Amino acid sequence: MIFWGQESFCQISKVYIKSIEFEGLKKSRTSAVRSYMNIAEGDSLELIKLMDKISENKKLIMNSRLFNHAELKIKNWEGQDITLLLKVQEA
């Protein structure tokens, strides 16, 4: 059985990071936070590795010790383009 939209989803093997948005930055600059991440806008990722890469980057951000809490998630997904959202609480 194929559900609506499932067929096109199964055909996608890569996704592209269209943008990374930030919430909760008060003291830190986005450029400083980006320097701790190993993904960036314009990068392509294999779909099967996407969630592992998101988890890995959350750990990298937390290891910076700039934040008490960080949440990195997919905010928007259109076709092969994704927008990531990083919500943080600064230390």
Side-chain angles (χ1 to χ4, degrees):
M1 180 187 306
I2 295 179
F3 296 103
W4 180 83
Q6 182 180 2
E7 185 177 84
S8 61
F9 178 76
C10 293
Q11 294 174 358
I12 296 173
S13 62
K14 283 191 174 188
V15 293
Y16 300 91
I17 299 175
K18 181 179 178 181
S19 64
I20 302 173
E21 298 177 3
F22 299 86
E23 283 185 15
L25 295 178
K26 295 183 182 6
K27 297 181 274 184
S28 303
R29 294 182 177 199
T30 57
S31 59
V33 178
R34 289 177 196 272
S35 71
Y36 290 101
M37 300 173 73
N38 66 9
I39 55 174
E41 287 143 340
D43 285 356
S44 64
L45 299 170
E46 292 182 42
L47 183 59
I48 60 173
K49 296 181 180 179
L50 176 61
M51 296 314 290
D52 288 340
K53 202 65 159 171
I54 288 173
S55 179
E56 176 185 342
N57 276 271
K58 179 185 173 189
K59 288 177 187 174
L60 290 170
I61 292 163
M62 288 303 297
N63 287 343
S64 73
R65 298 184 183 225
L66 295 173
F67 307 104
N68 292 326
H69 177 78
E71 180 182 356
L72 183 61
K73 63 182 183 178
I74 298 169
K75 178 181 179 183
N76 191 24
W77 189 327
E78 292 181 24
Q80 289 183 290
D81 296 330
I82 62 171
T83 299
L84 297 177
L85 174 63
L86 175 62
K87 289 184 178 182
V88 296
Q89 179 185 6
E90 292 181 311

